[in-house]
Amino acid sequence: MTVCQRRNTRQRQVVLEELRAENCHPTAAQLYDRVRQRLPRISLGTIYRNLDILEETGQCVRLCGSASAEARFDGRIEPHLHHQCRACGRVRDLETMLPVLDDMIGRNVEDHRVDSFTLIFHGVCAGCRS
Ligand SMILES: [Zn+2]
Ligand SMILES: [Zn+2]
């Protein structure tokens, strides 16, 4: 492994660790702020590139948005539900299971194979309601 490859591997590992550290579904920019505390010289472009690779290799999930700054990333890869607060914008995991959705995994639905889902409910979170 070259020095450059080793650095890339290390950067990707830190990005993944920070993505998994807090269950906050960060945007790339938010993740950049966290990773920069450990790797001060990393660029936002490198964060984007690593998120693309982690997504392609099934180590993280893009929750919403495309390549835009709006996209949220999740280090928890098994299918689960989310809630996004209209007031504070936070995206949280819901532990509630919807058997009808789980039943679709591994099946053909209208002849299309389903192997995962991303689903975000919108509303006002418990903290913002009180
Ligand atoms: Zn809220
Ligand atoms: Zn999640």
Side-chain angles (χ1 to χ4, degrees):
M1 216 188 254
T2 66
V3 172
C4 186
Q5 283 171 326
R6 228 187 323 263
R7 194 191 62 205
N8 289 346
T9 304
R10 166 81 183 136
Q11 285 175 336
R12 194 162 314 134
Q13 188 59 39
V14 172
V15 169
L16 189 57
E17 281 171 15
E18 291 302 322
L19 185 58
R20 288 175 173 164
E22 237 184 275
N23 200 10
C24 61
H25 309 89
T27 63
Q30 288 167 341
L31 191 59
Y32 174 51
D33 285 337
R34 295 180 58 96
V35 171
R36 221 166 20 159
Q37 291 171 25
R38 292 174 61 187
L39 302 174
R41 284 161 31 166
I42 201 165
S43 69
L44 181 57
T46 301
I47 300 286
Y48 274 114
R49 197 169 62 242
N50 278 299
L51 284 169
D52 283 344
I53 293 168
L54 290 169
E55 186 190 9
E56 279 167 27
T57 54
Q59 296 175 87
C60 83
V61 175
R62 187 184 301 258
L63 283 184
C64 45
S66 51
S68 69
E70 303 286 287
R72 299 279 193 141
F73 293 88
D74 197 349
R76 183 177 167 186
I77 53 174
E78 80 275 10
H80 58 281
L81 304 176
H82 294 94
H83 178 277
Q84 183 166 30
C85 177
R86 289 192 196 286
C88 68
R90 274 194 63 177
V91 177
R92 293 173 172 81
D93 285 343
L94 299 177
E95 302 308 326
T96 302
M97 299 308 291
L98 292 182
V100 65
L101 289 179
D102 292 318
D103 286 352
M104 293 172 82
I105 301 218
R107 281 183 40 197
N108 288 348
V109 177
E110 295 169 23
D111 221 24
H112 307 296
R113 190 74 172 173
V114 172
D115 56 27
S116 71
F117 62 81
T118 54
L119 181 57
I120 304 180
F121 293 107
H122 299 275
V124 179
C125 75
C128 290
R129 270 190 293 108
S130 60

